[in-house]
């Protein structure tokens, strides 16, 4: 802690009724500062030397000392925060607000001062100009390892740092060259040869070669590592380097390698470093220059092999107090008129919110009758009507298509629920419903708990931070989990990841037999020769999910993004993020 923090805690603990002095003792100060009495004396001496307090020691045994606070707290906070921000230490300013129980008025003033630092800023020096974007995050990131990517925010951020062999073009529905400038496929899509671009460099300066592609493939394929996306290489037979820039992969079955190598999971890592969370290296448009629990800082990679990023710097801060539900890309320093319009983009996410059961845990949720009760008691239309916000419409599929499964009619619904309950193995035990700690999900969980209670089903809610998504404890403890999926722009890849990646919530909640059945569908999905045929197989899979009540679809969501009209290059991806490398500020004259 800094002297500023100690003074703040001391002031808050001792100043009452506008009096700037109080009786105290070294022992009491040690309790306030959370330290030993010896260290408390050092802190007191430091505050005296700063001329922030006057300390008059008590005379005689048992007599208290007297402290006089020479700085009003509001004036000192204003002075110190300004000084901290001038030093470009926004993370320290945020930590200060998070660490102290300030009076509401003082907290609001500090909050507004720090809030000005977010959004788009331009810092000019005598030599150059730096365009930067600062974004507050609601939570800490779980992982930026592309092989483990399963959360939308982490996936988008990792895309700024890492590159794939090929890219998927949503507009043309084609695969385009990226790290690989060309490729060949032979023997009915069993042999794939990729030709790498020359002169592509990693962030630490070394040129990318075929050895880095082999390392990435073998890392994912390694049975000991048990990386969740190793299913990509379930039929891989051989990896052979032809020369420095050419590599061939041989599979035992026809394989859509372009589909796989466009996935972030298979972004190419440097063979000499791999993935090191303390030294994250890729080939992407931005390189990471700082990463800790408080913030993540990117800088434009000047040696990027494609078009350079237009922004110079991006700073992400763990600051839930400043994060909005809608991601607002602001340009606070622009000299523009107040009537300058704010643009808004609203769209329906591809995916669904759902309730899933833990089939790895013994209990009544292994009973089809009891799972069917939840399918009936959750009135999706009523949930959407009562909770509103971004809940758009009833869902009965992970995608929005004309062949979505019909929901049951609600005639005599309560009578049916009571009959199914009586036929089930439920005996009144309390079930644990785990949900992530987003406000919308918290409200969904409470709505479902109250609805279940009307039929005598007892549930306990347990919120879980999203950064703990990968923890095994989730599967060990939960009876039910409230989940949500937003699929990739490449819909077929999104479906495969949803049902095959072992980091996906669905894959972690189902049992071995259910996984075997799903794998049969996914094998057929991969072998299908057209998009129409694959979507037909996907609908059959969803019919299986519906009939077995493996999960309960809830609703589709909409997303609204607002941004200042001074900002150009805003093109949102399926996850509701704008590609950082394409953003730029349109300065006014």
């Amino acid at each position: 802690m800094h002297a500023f923090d100690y003074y703040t805690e001391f002031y808050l603990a001792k100043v009452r009724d506008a009096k700037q002095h109080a009786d105290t003792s070294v022992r009491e100060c040690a309790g306030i500062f959370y330290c030993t009495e010896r260290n408390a004396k050092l802190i007191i001496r430091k505050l005296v030397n700063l001329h922030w307090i006057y300390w008059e020691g008590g005379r005689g045994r048992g007599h208290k000392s007297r402290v006089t606070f020479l700085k009003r707290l509001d004036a000192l906070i204003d002075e110190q925060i300004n000084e901290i921000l001038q030093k470009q230490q926004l993370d320290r300013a945020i930590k200060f607000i998070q660490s102290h129980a300030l009076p509401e008025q003082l907290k609001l003033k500090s909050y507004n001062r720090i809030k000005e630092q977010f959004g788009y800023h331009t810092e000019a020096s005598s030599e150059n100009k730096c365009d930067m974007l600062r974004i507050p995050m609601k939570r800490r990131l779980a992982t930026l390892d592309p092989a483990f990517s399963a959360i939308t925010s982490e996936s988008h951020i990792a895309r700024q740092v890492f590159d794939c062999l090929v890219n998927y073009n949503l507009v043309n529905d084609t695969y385009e060259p990226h790290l690989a400038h060309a490729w060949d496929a032979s023997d009915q899509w069993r042999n794939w040869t990729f030709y790498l671009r020359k002169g592509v460099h990693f962030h630490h300066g070394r040129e990318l070669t075929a050895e880095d592609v082999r390392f990435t493939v073998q890392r994912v394929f390694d049975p000991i590592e048990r990386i969740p996306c190793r299913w990509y290489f379930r039929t891989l037979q051989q990896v052979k380097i032809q020369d420095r820039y050419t590599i061939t992969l041989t599979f035992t079955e026809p394989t859509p390698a372009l589909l796989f190598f466009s996935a972030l999971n298979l972004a190419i890592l440097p063979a000499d470093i791999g993935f090191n969370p303390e030294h994250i290296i890729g080939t992407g448009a931005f390189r990471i220059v700082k990463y800790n629990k408080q913030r993540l800082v990117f800088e434009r990679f000047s040696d990027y092999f494609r078009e350079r990023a237009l922004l110079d710097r991006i700073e992400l801060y763990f600051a839930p107090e400043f994060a909005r539900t809608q991601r607002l890309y602001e340009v606070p320093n622009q000299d523009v008129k107040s009537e300058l319009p704010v643009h808004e983009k609203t769209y329906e996410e591809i995916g669904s919110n759902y309730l899933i059961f833990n089939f790895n845990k013994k209990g009544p949720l292994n009973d089809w009758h009891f799972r069917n009760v939840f399918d009936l008691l959750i009135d999706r239309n009523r949930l959407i009507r009562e909770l509103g916000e971004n809940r758009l419409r009833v869902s009965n599929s992970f995608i929005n298509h004309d062949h979505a499964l019909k929901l049951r009619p609600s005639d005599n619904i309560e009578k049916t629920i009571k009959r199914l309950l009586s036929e089930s193995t439920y005996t009144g035990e309390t079930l644990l419903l785990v949900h992530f700690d987003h406000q919308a999900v918290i409200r969904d969980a409470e709505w479902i708990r109250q609805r279940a209670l009307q039929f005598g089903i007892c549930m306990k809610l347990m919120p879980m931070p999203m950064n703990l998504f990968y923890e095994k404890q989730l599967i060990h403890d939960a009876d039910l989990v409230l989940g949500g999926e937003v699929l990739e722009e490449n819909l077929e890849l999104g479906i495969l990841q949803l049902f095959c990646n072992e980091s996906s919530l669905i894959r972690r909640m189902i049992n071995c037999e259910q996984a075997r059945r799903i794998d049969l569908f996914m094998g057929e999905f991969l072998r299908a020769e057209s998009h129409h045929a694959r979507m037909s197989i996907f609908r059959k899979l969803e019919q299986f999910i519906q009939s077995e009540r493996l999960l309960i679809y809830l609703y589709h969501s909409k997303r609204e993004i607002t941004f200042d009209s001074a900002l150009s290059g805003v093109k949102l991806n399926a996850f509701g993020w704008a590609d950082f490398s394409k953003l730029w500020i349109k300065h006014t004259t």
Side-chain angles (χ1 to χ4, degrees):
M1 291 177 67
H2 295 81
F4 177 36
D5 296 285
Y6 287 122
Y7 185 85
T8 301
E9 285 301 298
F10 202 7
Y11 193 103
L12 292 172
K14 300 304 296 182
V15 172
R16 296 288 183 273
D17 302 323
K19 293 180 180 179
Q20 295 294 111
H21 56 79
D23 293 334
T24 187
S25 67
V26 172
R27 176 176 291 183
E28 186 178 2
C29 289
I32 293 170
F33 300 147
Y34 293 97
C35 66
T36 64
E37 291 187 28
R38 180 176 179 274
N39 284 335
K41 290 179 182 178
L42 295 175
I43 293 168
I44 291 167
R45 189 176 301 133
K46 186 171 186 178
L47 297 180
V48 169
N49 292 338
L50 286 168
H51 304 291
W52 290 358
I53 66 171
Y54 175 74
W55 182 271
E56 185 179 359
R59 295 183 179 179
R61 190 178 182 86
H63 291 277
K64 284 197 168 186
S65 301
R66 168 154 288 211
V67 60
T68 301
F69 294 89
L70 303 178
K71 288 273 191 178
R72 285 175 53 88
L73 185 60
D74 55 350
L76 183 63
I77 287 178
D78 191 50
E79 171 191 310
Q80 289 294 306
I81 285 183
N82 282 337
E83 182 178 325
I84 290 170
L85 294 178
Q86 285 174 6
K87 294 178 179 177
Q88 298 296 313
Q89 296 176 341
L90 179 57
D91 52 341
R92 184 180 160 198
I94 293 170
K95 187 176 180 181
F96 172 79
I97 281 195
Q98 294 172 340
S99 302
H100 303 287
L102 300 177
E104 198 58 38
Q105 196 69 20
L106 188 51
K107 183 177 182 179
L108 181 62
K109 183 179 179 182
S110 303
Y111 174 98
N112 288 334
R113 179 69 183 89
I114 294 173
K115 181 182 173 185
E116 295 172 358
Q117 303 301 309
F118 289 107
Y120 287 84
H121 294 258
T122 296
E123 294 186 355
S125 67
S126 57
E127 298 179 355
N128 52 35
K129 181 186 72 172
C130 176
D131 288 332
M132 70 170 66
L133 164 64
R134 293 193 182 111
I135 300 177
M137 300 286 287
K138 290 184 179 180
R139 59 176 177 81
R140 292 186 173 92
L141 300 174
T143 180
L144 291 181
D145 187 339
F148 287 83
S149 173
I151 306 175
T152 56
S153 294
E154 279 82 341
S155 296
H156 173 75
I157 293 167
R159 282 275 187 191
Q160 313 305 306
V161 180
F162 301 101
D163 285 308
C164 299
L165 290 184
V166 297
N167 279 346
Y168 172 71
N169 186 319
L170 176 64
V171 176
N172 301 326
D173 189 26
T174 57
Y175 294 97
E176 298 178 337
H178 200 53
L179 292 177
H181 68 85
W183 52 83
D184 292 327
S186 62
D187 192 17
Q188 295 184 320
W189 314 105
R190 289 182 175 87
N191 293 323
W192 287 87
T193 299
F194 291 94
Y195 304 92
L196 305 182
R197 294 180 189 272
K198 297 178 181 179
V200 176
H201 288 89
F202 288 101
H203 298 150
H204 64 326
R206 186 176 61 73
E207 186 185 29
L208 177 143
T209 69
E211 180 57 40
D212 300 301
V213 179
R214 178 167 68 177
F215 168 81
T216 300
V217 171
Q218 290 179 338
R219 176 182 184 243
V220 172
F221 183 61
D222 189 344
I224 298 176
E225 290 288 335
R226 295 194 63 79
I227 287 179
C229 64
R230 62 185 179 278
W231 63 271
Y232 287 118
F233 300 127
R234 63 186 178 84
T235 64
L236 180 64
Q237 186 178 48
Q238 184 184 47
V239 181
K240 184 177 181 180
I241 293 179
Q242 306 290 356
D243 59 41
R244 182 175 175 82
Y245 304 107
T246 309
I247 189 168
T248 298
L249 286 79
T250 302
F251 298 86
T252 59
E253 296 179 8
T255 301
L258 296 182
L259 178 70
F260 292 174
F261 279 104
S262 69
L264 174 63
N265 295 138
L266 299 187
I268 306 305
L269 300 177
D272 53 332
I273 293 179
F275 182 83
N276 181 348
E278 296 181 356
H279 188 46
I280 300 176
I281 296 296
T283 59
F286 289 94
R287 63 187 184 94
I288 293 176
V289 296
K290 189 176 185 66
Y291 185 24
N292 55 36
K293 290 183 178 180
Q294 192 65 41
R295 65 172 175 160
L296 171 62
V297 181
F298 304 93
E299 286 183 353
R300 181 170 66 96
F301 183 38
S302 58
D303 289 332
Y304 190 50
F305 72 100
R306 299 295 293 267
E307 182 181 358
R308 310 296 197 274
L310 300 173
L311 279 175
D312 298 294
R313 187 177 175 94
I314 300 165
E315 300 179 357
L316 303 177
Y317 290 85
F318 171 61
E321 306 90 338
F322 300 93
R324 298 170 183 249
T325 301
Q326 296 176 201
R327 189 169 295 110
L328 180 62
Y329 296 106
E330 296 177 288
V331 190
N333 289 348
Q334 294 303 294
D335 182 18
V336 294
K337 297 180 180 179
S338 60
E339 63 266 22
L340 189 68
V342 173
H343 295 310
E344 180 177 287
K345 290 179 181 286
T346 301
Y347 64 96
E348 182 174 347
E349 292 179 337
I350 302 174
S352 177
N353 294 275
Y354 59 92
L355 179 70
I356 191 167
F357 309 105
N358 189 354
F359 294 98
N360 297 287
K361 187 176 180 181
K362 294 180 180 179
L365 291 168
N366 287 287
D367 181 343
W368 182 91
H369 293 89
F370 191 53
R371 300 198 300 274
N372 201 23
V373 165
F374 279 91
D375 190 30
L376 295 174
L377 69 82
I378 301 175
D379 184 336
R380 283 74 142 180
N381 283 308
R382 180 177 168 186
L383 184 152
I384 293 170
R385 185 171 63 251
E386 292 181 357
L387 299 185
E389 296 178 338
N390 285 344
R391 300 166 184 84
L392 182 61
R393 61 187 179 89
V394 171
S395 165
N396 36 48
S397 170
F398 279 109
I399 61 176
N400 311 325
H401 49 60
D402 296 333
H403 304 281
L405 303 165
K406 301 290 185 181
L407 288 176
R408 300 179 175 199
S410 58
D411 297 343
N412 299 319
I413 196 80
E414 293 191 5
K415 184 177 179 180
T416 304
I417 291 173
K418 290 176 181 177
R419 176 179 60 79
L420 287 169
L421 267 176
S422 67
E423 295 173 356
S424 76
T425 57
Y426 180 68
T427 57
E429 53 266 55
T430 298
L431 304 173
L432 183 64
L433 172 57
V434 172
H435 59 88
F436 297 105
D437 58 357
H438 298 311
Q439 285 301 313
V441 182
I442 291 171
R443 287 190 284 272
D444 287 343
E446 179 58 27
W447 190 96
I448 292 171
R449 187 190 72 81
Q450 292 283 358
R451 177 65 174 158
L453 192 59
Q454 293 176 17
F455 295 93
I457 301 173
C458 300
M459 302 176 71
K460 177 183 176 182
L461 305 184
M462 188 178 84
M464 176 174 285
M466 183 60 80
N467 59 295
L468 299 181
F469 175 82
Y470 298 100
E471 296 294 322
K472 293 181 179 179
Q473 201 66 26
L474 171 68
I475 305 305
H476 184 271
D477 293 338
D479 292 295
L480 309 92
V481 178
L482 267 177
E485 297 290 343
V486 179
L487 299 187
E488 292 261 356
E489 291 177 337
N490 185 338
L491 187 57
E492 294 178 4
L493 178 60
I495 290 170
L496 284 164
Q497 291 174 330
L498 178 61
F499 290 106
C500 296
N501 267 28
E502 292 183 16
S503 60
S504 80
L505 186 57
I506 292 176
R507 196 76 189 189
R508 294 161 66 189
M509 299 295 280
I510 59 178
N511 60 34
C512 293
E513 176 56 24
Q514 292 160 345
R516 186 190 68 80
R517 293 284 301 276
I518 287 175
D519 285 344
L520 291 175
F521 283 107
M522 288 294 95
E524 190 178 351
F525 184 93
L526 284 168
R527 290 189 295 273
E529 295 183 356
S530 70
H531 176 76
H532 177 78
R534 286 187 283 274
M535 288 300 101
S536 176
I537 294 163
F538 174 62
R539 286 193 289 273
K540 292 177 183 178
L541 170 57
E542 290 204 307
Q543 288 169 359
F544 165 70
I545 290 172
Q546 180 80 351
S547 63
E548 292 293 318
R549 305 293 187 269
L550 297 190
L551 57 84
I552 308 299
Y553 297 105
L554 298 177
Y555 57 84
H556 296 295
S557 298
K558 65 179 179 180
R559 184 178 289 258
E560 298 174 350
I561 307 295
T562 57
F563 59 95
D564 196 297
S565 60
L567 180 64
S568 298
V570 177
K571 183 179 180 181
L572 302 179
N573 62 21
F575 300 149
W577 286 85
D579 184 347
F580 293 153
S581 68
K582 300 295 189 295
L583 298 178
W584 60 285
I585 301 169
K586 186 185 296 181
H587 295 273
T588 57
T589 56

